[in-house]
Amino acid sequence: MTTDKFYAEALQTFGDLLDEARGAGDPEPTAMTLATIGAGGQPSARTVLLKAHDQRGFVFYTNFESRKGRQLAANPQATLLFLWKGLRGREHVQVEIQGTVEPVTVAEAETYFAIRPRESQIGAWASLQSQTLPSREEFERRFAAVEQRFEGVPVPRPPHWSGFRVVPELIEFWYGAKYRLHERQRYERAEGVWSKRMLYP
Ligand SMILES: Cc1cc2nc3c(=O)[nH]c(=O)nc-3n(C[C@H](O)[C@H](O)[C@H](O)COP(=O)(O)O)c2cc1C
């Protein structure tokens, strides 16, 4: 079978599961753990929201000067992990996506920033994400200063705020099942060719 067939199948399955999670009332169906690697090889992880996904990859937005932003600039490898609880007959589903990251285009970042709530747009300027905050008042002061700066005009996208796209090389679905007969379906790309296999759970 061709490369594209397995990749298309994995993306279709992912989309179906995300729809199911939405339908099942998951309060944050697009929340995913993003794992990155620090300078010393130490992994770090945090939650971000998936904002787009298609054959090009999986997109989230963040501050490029944050810890994750700097780590990804230095080492553009990431793993995403979704856990949707109680899907498919009340069992859990986990999806792991490994890949390399690339920045989204300026046009994509502009389009997405423009539809964010104004408070979030102001927050993107006001927050020095991942840096030491001396006091809560300091953040409120910065927020108010940004509000004043852009009063009556649209808030432009800060240059340090954009998106990363995780271009997958591995997508694995883990389906919980009764009596521990869990199922793992792994799709991976090697030398440009996607393949699919099962793994022992
Ligand atoms: C449900 C949830 C969604 C979040 N979504 C984002 C997001 O989309 N982008 C982002 O930069 N941070 C998001 N955060 C905050 C991150 O988890 C993290 O605290 C922050 O980005 C700083 O991470 P860093 O210091 O590792 O760079 C979210 C947190 C939670 C709990």
Side-chain angles (χ1 to χ4, degrees):
M1 287 199 230
T2 66
T3 306
D4 290 344
K5 177 169 176 156
F6 286 125
Y7 186 43
E9 182 180 293
L11 292 181
Q12 177 74 46
T13 302
F14 178 84
D16 291 348
L17 289 168
L18 181 57
D19 287 347
E20 274 186 52
R22 286 198 175 102
D26 187 320
E28 289 284 10
T30 61
M32 55 190 186
T33 301
L34 163 71
T36 55
I37 306 162
Q42 177 72 25
S44 61
R46 78 290 289 153
T47 310
V48 292
L49 298 180
L50 179 73
K51 290 297 173 185
H53 66 98
D54 59 22
Q55 73 289 348
R56 293 172 299 168
F58 296 77
V59 173
F60 63 91
Y61 287 89
T62 194
N63 184 324
F64 274 40
E65 290 168 5
S66 65
R67 177 181 62 157
K68 75 181 96 46
R70 290 173 191 273
Q71 289 179 347
L72 289 171
N75 186 349
Q77 302 182 80
T79 292
L80 304 173
L81 191 78
F82 292 84
L83 172 61
W84 291 306
K85 296 177 185 168
L87 279 193
R88 306 217 152 162
R90 302 226 312 262
E91 300 298 340
H92 303 330
V93 175
Q94 172 180 267
V95 185
E96 180 185 3
I97 298 166
Q98 267 178 33
T100 52
V101 301
E102 57 185 35
V104 299
T105 63
V106 169
E108 283 176 281
E110 294 286 347
T111 303
Y112 177 62
F113 190 78
I115 61 161
R116 301 191 84 207
R118 192 170 171 89
E119 291 68 30
S120 306
Q121 294 175 334
I122 292 169
W125 282 98
S127 174
L128 305 172
Q129 194 176 60
S130 314
Q131 294 186 34
T132 303
L133 174 62
S135 68
R136 189 73 203 168
E137 291 70 39
E138 174 66 11
F139 186 39
E140 281 162 15
R141 195 192 57 70
R142 285 183 58 88
F143 195 94
V146 176
E147 262 181 328
Q148 203 174 13
R149 179 174 163 197
F150 296 118
E151 205 181 335
V153 296
V155 181
R157 180 178 63 92
H160 57 264
W161 190 96
S162 187
F164 284 108
R165 171 175 282 112
V166 178
V167 179
E169 275 147 24
L170 180 154
I171 302 178
E172 186 190 306
F173 300 93
W174 184 103
Y175 303 97
K178 289 200 176 84
Y179 314 120
R180 311 232 169 257
L181 294 175
H182 312 304
E183 185 186 332
R184 292 174 69 186
Q185 297 280 359
R186 177 178 284 208
Y187 297 80
E188 57 200 326
R189 192 177 63 161
E191 288 161 19
V193 180
W194 281 89
S195 61
K196 176 187 179 182
R197 61 193 164 112
M198 281 196 290
L199 299 180
Y200 281 98

